Amino acid sequence: QVQLVESGGGLVQAGGSLRLSCAASGLTFSRSTMGWFRQAPGKEREFVARITRFYGTTDYADSVKGRFTISRDNAKSTVYLQMNSLKPEDTAVYYCAGAAGGDYEYWGQGTQVTVSS
């Protein structure tokens, strides 16, 4: 059974930083592309960042480029999202997702990030 467990969310002031972690179990982590998504109240879930399997290529939503960094530690089966220069509009529930094939098949339960102005 695949499990993705996020941690590291919380309340932070605008301009601050947080580091999210997502620990994976039950899947071949090194062969999975991992992503972060977020959903703000009243809005649809949106892509934030992803890091591919094998080569670790990254890409980001335009809204977070230059502020967020995704990384992975295959030895720990963990993916991270370092979030700097946080803005109130970054407030959302952040979800970790894993794709062993093409689509994101596996999702975590989410962690709340709240940025106060």
Side-chain angles (χ1 to χ4, degrees):
Q1 182 181 357
V2 176
Q3 280 194 315
L4 301 178
V5 180
E6 301 99 334
S7 60
L11 174 64
V12 64
Q13 287 189 333
S17 299
L18 283 173
R19 188 196 196 202
L20 305 183
S21 300
C22 171
S25 60
L27 80 166
T28 307
F29 185 81
S30 62
R31 294 181 178 271
S32 300
T33 289
M34 301 300 295
W36 286 97
F37 293 76
R38 67 186 182 186
Q39 187 167 20
K43 295 187 176 181
E44 293 190 353
R45 185 171 59 195
E46 64 175 0
F47 167 78
V48 175
R50 72 164 187 163
I51 183 165
T52 63
R53 56 185 180 174
F54 304 136
Y55 297 109
T57 303
T58 60
D59 65 292
Y60 300 90
D62 287 344
S63 59
V64 306
K65 276 182 184 175
R67 300 188 297 122
F68 291 11
T69 302
I70 189 172
S71 61
R72 65 191 298 158
D73 185 337
N74 288 340
K76 295 182 179 180
S77 296
T78 300
V79 61
Y80 304 97
L81 185 68
Q82 178 67 44
M83 306 186 294
N84 298 328
S85 302
L86 282 161
K87 305 175 181 180
E89 50 264 44
D90 294 319
T91 295
V93 177
Y94 283 70
Y95 297 91
C96 170
D103 296 329
Y104 288 100
E105 310 158 72
Y106 309 110
W107 294 84
Q109 83 288 350
T111 185
Q112 177 70 47
V113 171
T114 303
V115 184
S116 63
S117 57

